[in-house]
């Protein structure tokens, strides 16, 4: 990418990040372009769909959440590590308005790189917890991501306190009986 194209890309993603934080995932694309100091055509040249722009916005934070798994894999208690990571994902999904809806309703023609990145990162933590016997063997990462998304949707008006409480209740259900 040429330097000016990269600069425009970065400006658009920065403006979109601010707009999504303020207005949610359905922030005005025209307002994002205007805030970035580019035309609508430039925005659409870099991001042909709203989904592709949201992917770029969410990718950085999701990379951080994915990288966090490496730190958590060093913990001796696999269930505690998985639980910590799921709480962090829930907090992010709840405070980033629209993330849950966006990940749950990805257009079929779009590559779900954010969801796949998140699932791949969490899979390591889940496998370890299953291997330690602290999580039921029939629990899948797709189930946990759906659960986190549903909780963040349910908690949207009130925020992270409700989401944290709901997640704690739900995590009890993934543990084997008698644990």
């Amino acid at each position: 990418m040429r330097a000016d194209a990269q600069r425009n890309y970065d400006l658009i993603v920065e403006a979109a990040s601010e707009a999504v934080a303020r207005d949610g995932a359905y922030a005005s694309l025209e307002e994002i372009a205007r805030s970035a100091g580019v035309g609508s055509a430039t925005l659409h040249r870099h991001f042909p769909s709203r989904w592709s722009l949201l992917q770029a916005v969410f990718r950085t934070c999701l990379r951080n959440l994915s990288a966090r798994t490496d730190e958590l894999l060093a913990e001796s208690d696999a269930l505690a590590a998985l639980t910590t990571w799921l709480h962090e994902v829930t907090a992010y999904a709840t405070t980033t308005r629209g993330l849950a809806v966006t990940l749950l309703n990805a257009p079929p023609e779009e590559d779900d790189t954010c969801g796949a990145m998140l699932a791949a990162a969490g899979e390591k933590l889940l496998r370890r917890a299953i291997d330690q016997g602290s999580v039921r063997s029939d629990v899948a990462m797709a189930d946990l991501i759906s659960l986190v998304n549903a909780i963040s949707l349910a908690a949207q008006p009130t925020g992270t306190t409700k989401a944290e409480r709901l997640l704690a209740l739900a995590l009890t259900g993934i543990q084997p009986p008698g644990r």
Side-chain angles (χ1 to χ4, degrees):
M1 195 180 292
R2 294 184 342 237
D4 61 331
Q6 183 65 53
R7 185 187 72 245
N8 286 341
Y9 179 94
D10 294 342
L11 288 170
I12 293 166
V13 171
E14 182 179 334
S17 296
E18 292 169 7
V20 167
R22 183 183 61 247
D23 303 324
Y26 297 100
S28 164
L29 296 179
E30 290 75 24
E31 182 183 317
I32 291 169
R34 193 172 26 260
S35 295
V38 301
S40 183
T42 300
L43 182 143
H44 289 289
R45 191 170 30 259
H46 286 287
F47 304 100
S49 67
R50 176 179 298 276
W51 176 253
S52 63
L53 178 57
L54 291 174
Q55 286 277 329
V57 168
F58 296 137
R59 197 170 288 124
T60 299
C61 186
L62 293 179
R63 278 191 194 120
N64 293 341
L65 288 168
S66 296
R68 180 80 166 105
T69 60
D70 293 333
E71 297 169 26
L72 292 169
L73 284 168
E75 289 189 17
S76 60
D77 185 339
L79 180 59
L82 176 63
T83 300
T84 297
W85 185 78
L86 288 169
H87 278 281
E88 291 173 8
V89 172
T90 301
Y92 178 70
T94 303
T95 57
T96 305
R97 295 172 35 209
L99 174 62
V101 173
T102 301
L103 291 178
L104 286 172
N105 297 313
E109 69 276 4
E110 297 287 352
D111 178 26
D112 184 19
T113 57
C114 286
M117 183 188 311
L118 200 58
E123 187 66 35
K124 296 180 231 174
L125 293 168
L126 175 60
R127 286 289 120 221
R128 191 164 158 259
I130 289 172
D131 291 346
Q132 280 188 2
S134 55
V135 171
R136 295 179 1 205
S137 62
D138 64 335
V139 175
M141 183 47 61
D143 298 331
L144 296 179
I145 297 297
S146 293
L147 182 64
V148 164
N149 283 330
I151 288 169
S152 71
L153 286 171
Q156 284 298 307
T158 57
T160 57
T161 303
K162 181 177 182 180
E164 292 296 319
R165 189 176 67 74
L166 291 172
L167 182 62
L169 289 170
L171 289 176
T172 302
I174 70 168
Q175 297 175 35
R179 178 139 164 94

